[in-house]
Amino acid sequence: MDLIKDIDILSTEEAQDSDFQTTPEGNTGKAKKVYIESYGCAMNFSDSEIVASIMKDNGYDTTSDMKKADVIFLNTCSIREKAEQTVRNRLNHFNGLKRNKPGMTIGILGCMAERLKEKLIEEEKIVDLVVGPDAYRDLPNLVATAEEGVKAINTFLSREETYGDISPVRLNSNGVSAFISIMRGCDNMCSFCVVPFTRGRERSRDPESILAEARDLVSKGYKEVTLLGQNVDSYKWSPEENNKARLNKKEEEVSTVVNFAHLLEQVALVSPQLRVRFSTSHPKDITDEVLHTIKKYDNICKSIHLPAQSGNDRVLELMNRTYTRAWYLDRVRAIREILGEECGISSDMIAGFCSETEAEHQDTLSLMEFVKFDFSYMYFYSERPGTLAAKKYPDDIPLDTKKSRLAEIIDKQSELSLERNRLDVGKEQVILIDGASKKSGDELRGRNSANKVVIVTSEGLQQGDYVRVKITGSSRGTLFGSIQEINPSNIA
Ligand code: SAM
Ligand code: SF4
Ligand code: F3S
């Protein structure tokens, strides 16, 4: 779920939990302005695009200038303590703003709103409204209530809401890549994780609305979509379960169940020029059928985010991940067998989970070494109130030990990224240009199928071009390429 990050940053808690995105200037002539700051994962960023759409339909343009805003929303994350602390610090910052503009409404949306509910209103005096991830359709009413000086709250979690009919307002988009949420919630109960409590039960979005969104993006010139869910492999849509109204349709239509492999195929068929990515895959659920579908279509990227979390069986069991090290390695074997060595494999890792021994930590390092991940998002364990782990296991690894284990995991990943990137040198790959290089105005950056950043000279190129490049150099986080062909007919 952390696709917004550049892979040249070996991402850790420090970097991730304080990063946020803001809204651009809307300028469609609406009377009022909303400013949204979004924290957390790609699903939260995608939700802010739904929120912007709902607000737009109710008379609000987005603004990039919080001082101009009538309404400020913080779309928050609860995944680690640091993420929540960042939001609380931000609220202090908004205090002064509100003093100068008392009519301004300040709302907390997202996972922290869902977790803390009315407590947020009690604890943070400047908060006017608190709205959970499934209650965004109610925002216009809640904002109106808050404008009358009454604190407003809706943290109802739904079993059906997917916002499937809402056309997102693309925020911070480069016009090349966009997220499409294909499901919401999570039914896995990983013992460390707050998401099942903040996002509710898992539900899949109607495939027709997903395909309509993909077609619309293609018609607007987008070249890449990323299908988002906490566990995309458990995507499942059947008219019986998801839309009773459709039962009036013919027998063969109602009995069709769409799984993730089917959905992936249908999105790939929208246009051969549209790259398709997805995240996150769960090791217990990823099927060979999905891997064969990825292989079948040149426009499905060969890149799988498959969080391992730990390399030790006892810790995996305590984490309630429901797979073993051997199972995980078997899935990696299947990926290598079906998609080959060049398929990118990335992971999330947690250092210092409850009662983890030094030997068990070494198992995580050895798993990393064995798989040779291209990159990882790495964190130390942060106890979250209400989770299974918080109830059952003492958070007994000293902070210093957590940090030193995390540092070893980061060092290992750094070594592996360098090693994996070196293997690309001399190869020809197709990249999609998605922005300017951070370092030089004469260079652009793109991504290859495995989701690695490739830097090329900008001459003759523009954002959204596919380019066949020869990889001429590599560093830990970046590849360097020389242009061979612009917009080749085959984008594999
Ligand atoms: N659904 C995805 C999965 O199962 O892999 C991950 C979703 S979670 C938003 C992203 C990552 O945050 C997790 O993979 C895990 O590594 C990390 N994470 C979750 N809870 C955590 C906690 N309590 N402390 C530290 N890291 C945590
Ligand atoms: Fe959290 Fe596990 Fe669900 Fe991922 S699969 S969101 S880690 S409970
Ligand atoms: Fe995402 Fe954070 Fe919520 S990672 S699902 S915004 S707890």
Side-chain angles (χ1 to χ4, degrees):
M1 287 286 89
D2 299 292
L3 292 163
I4 33 99
K5 305 288 305 172
D6 278 357
I7 57 168
D8 53 350
I9 302 164
L10 287 174
S11 187
T12 63
E13 176 179 72
E14 286 304 310
Q16 279 204 297
D17 290 344
S18 38
D19 277 3
F20 60 83
Q21 281 190 355
T22 61
T23 35
E25 211 54 41
N27 291 331
T28 62
K30 307 280 184 205
K32 292 184 173 181
K33 300 271 184 200
V34 57
Y35 169 86
I36 312 174
E37 245 174 50
S38 314
Y39 295 80
C41 63
M43 295 216 66
N44 230 28
F45 293 111
S46 173
D47 277 5
S48 290
E49 300 187 333
I50 305 270
V51 169
S53 174
I54 292 169
M55 293 301 284
K56 191 174 166 203
D57 288 348
N58 285 276
Y60 287 81
D61 263 339
T62 56
T63 177
S64 57
D65 181 355
M66 60 181 90
K67 292 195 200 84
K68 283 196 209 146
D70 301 285
V71 174
I72 290 182
F73 288 146
L74 270 74
N75 192 2
T76 60
C77 173
S78 285
I79 202 81
R80 286 165 289 272
E81 197 183 342
K82 174 95 189 326
E84 292 197 355
Q85 198 47 52
T86 303
V87 168
R88 294 205 190 257
N89 295 343
R90 239 4 228 161
L91 284 172
N92 288 339
H93 176 82
F94 290 137
N95 250 325
L97 208 63
K98 190 150 176 171
R99 230 174 288 128
N100 292 334
K101 199 172 172 184
M104 175 185 267
T105 300
I106 296 189
I108 302 288
L109 317 182
C111 291
M112 210 173 150
E114 191 63 49
R115 193 179 86 73
L116 293 166
K117 301 187 169 61
E118 48 282 313
K119 255 194 183 168
L120 265 176
I121 289 180
E122 287 157 19
E123 290 168 8
E124 305 284 351
K125 299 290 172 238
I126 65 162
V127 172
D128 301 301
L129 67 150
V130 170
V131 189
D134 286 346
Y136 296 147
R137 286 182 202 268
D138 199 20
L139 274 170
N141 293 329
L142 296 165
V143 169
T145 307
E147 278 170 355
E148 283 164 17
V150 180
K151 305 259 179 187
I153 177 163
N154 187 344
T155 53
F156 174 74
L157 279 178
S158 157
R159 280 177 173 254
E160 285 94 34
E161 182 62 271
T162 62
Y163 301 112
D165 58 317
I166 293 181
S167 184
V169 169
R170 303 288 164 190
L171 305 170
N172 297 294
S173 170
N174 54 7
V176 177
S177 309
F179 293 130
I180 301 184
S181 283
I182 62 165
M183 55 207 294
R184 299 181 71 81
C186 183
D187 280 354
N188 296 315
M189 280 300 229
C190 301
S191 63
F192 52 80
C193 187
V194 78
V195 172
F197 305 96
T198 61
R199 294 261 161 181
R201 298 304 299 268
E202 184 179 286
R203 65 221 97 119
S204 298
R205 179 176 164 192
D206 183 338
E208 281 310 321
S209 76
I210 296 170
L211 291 171
E213 193 171 331
R215 284 186 205 109
D216 181 55
L217 286 163
V218 170
S219 76
K220 290 177 173 142
Y222 282 79
K223 296 287 182 69
E224 181 176 81
V225 294
T226 302
L227 309 180
L228 294 179
Q230 293 296 354
N231 177 4
V232 289
D233 303 289
S234 61
Y235 177 89
K236 186 176 166 221
W237 197 90
S238 68
E240 293 96 328
E241 280 176 40
N242 299 70
N243 189 348
K244 304 258 173 348
R246 280 201 167 200
L247 283 172
N248 296 333
K249 289 205 167 181
K250 281 187 242 140
E251 187 63 26
E252 64 271 22
E253 279 176 299
V254 291
S255 60
T256 314
V257 173
V258 180
N259 68 16
F260 183 57
H262 305 146
L263 179 74
L264 199 54
E265 175 157 46
Q266 287 178 38
V267 178
L269 288 169
V270 165
S271 162
Q273 289 293 306
L274 180 72
R275 263 188 172 182
V276 185
R277 297 189 185 277
F278 54 90
S279 187
T280 300
S281 302
H282 196 295
K284 82 171 157 60
D285 293 320
I286 189 167
T287 60
D288 288 2
E289 187 189 11
V290 166
L291 299 178
H292 284 294
T293 307
I294 299 171
K295 185 182 164 76
K296 189 171 163 192
Y297 292 93
D298 287 343
N299 58 333
I300 304 181
C301 290
K302 282 29 175 194
S303 160
I304 299 179
H305 188 58
L306 195 69
Q309 314 294 359
S310 164
N312 175 269
D313 281 348
R314 191 188 71 92
V315 175
L316 285 170
E317 192 170 345
L318 290 185
M319 287 177 163
N320 200 26
R321 287 291 286 182
T322 69
Y323 54 83
T324 59
R325 179 184 173 104
W327 175 278
Y328 187 90
L329 290 177
D330 177 69
R331 293 294 75 209
V332 171
R333 178 203 52 75
I335 294 170
R336 292 280 171 244
E337 237 169 68
I338 297 167
L339 296 170
E341 283 303 315
E342 282 190 39
C343 179
I345 305 182
S346 52
S347 181
D348 293 351
M349 291 297 182
I350 299 180
F353 186 63
C354 313
S355 78
E356 182 191 65
T357 65
E358 176 57 30
E360 289 167 341
H361 162 63
Q362 291 299 326
D363 284 345
T364 296
L365 295 175
S366 77
L367 180 98
M368 292 174 75
E369 178 66 47
F370 193 88
V371 178
K372 298 202 186 296
F373 293 112
D374 292 272
F375 67 97
S376 295
Y377 299 103
M378 299 158 283
Y379 320 93
F380 61 76
Y381 173 59
S382 163
E383 186 179 82
R384 308 310 295 130
T387 55
L388 293 181
K391 286 182 191 154
K392 277 170 78 176
Y393 314 122
D395 179 15
D396 54 0
I397 306 299
L399 186 59
D400 281 353
T401 311
K402 284 182 183 174
K403 286 190 173 172
S404 65
R405 288 183 188 168
L406 177 61
E408 284 176 31
I409 289 174
I410 292 170
D411 284 350
K412 172 56 70 186
Q413 184 55 59
S414 207
E415 202 184 286
L416 296 174
S417 298
L418 196 62
E419 189 181 325
R420 285 283 296 167
N421 285 353
R422 272 197 198 124
L423 293 177
D424 286 330
V425 176
K427 290 185 178 153
E428 288 205 356
Q429 301 177 340
V430 174
I431 64 170
L432 173 62
I433 303 293
D434 59 11
S437 152
K438 279 183 209 143
K439 294 203 176 122
S440 158
D442 297 335
E443 291 173 332
L444 289 173
R445 41 166 272 172
R447 279 174 195 269
N448 67 11
S449 178
N451 208 19
K452 294 182 189 175
V453 172
V454 183
I455 304 292
V456 287
T457 53
S458 55
E459 217 180 306
L461 295 182
Q462 53 188 17
Q463 230 165 262
D465 279 344
Y466 284 109
V467 188
R468 195 159 51 78
V469 297
K470 183 164 189 169
I471 304 300
T472 53
S474 67
S475 69
R476 188 192 69 180
T478 317
L479 299 173
F480 302 89
S482 71
I483 301 168
Q484 307 293 303
E485 186 185 0
I486 300 173
N487 291 321
S489 52
N490 186 341
I491 64 164

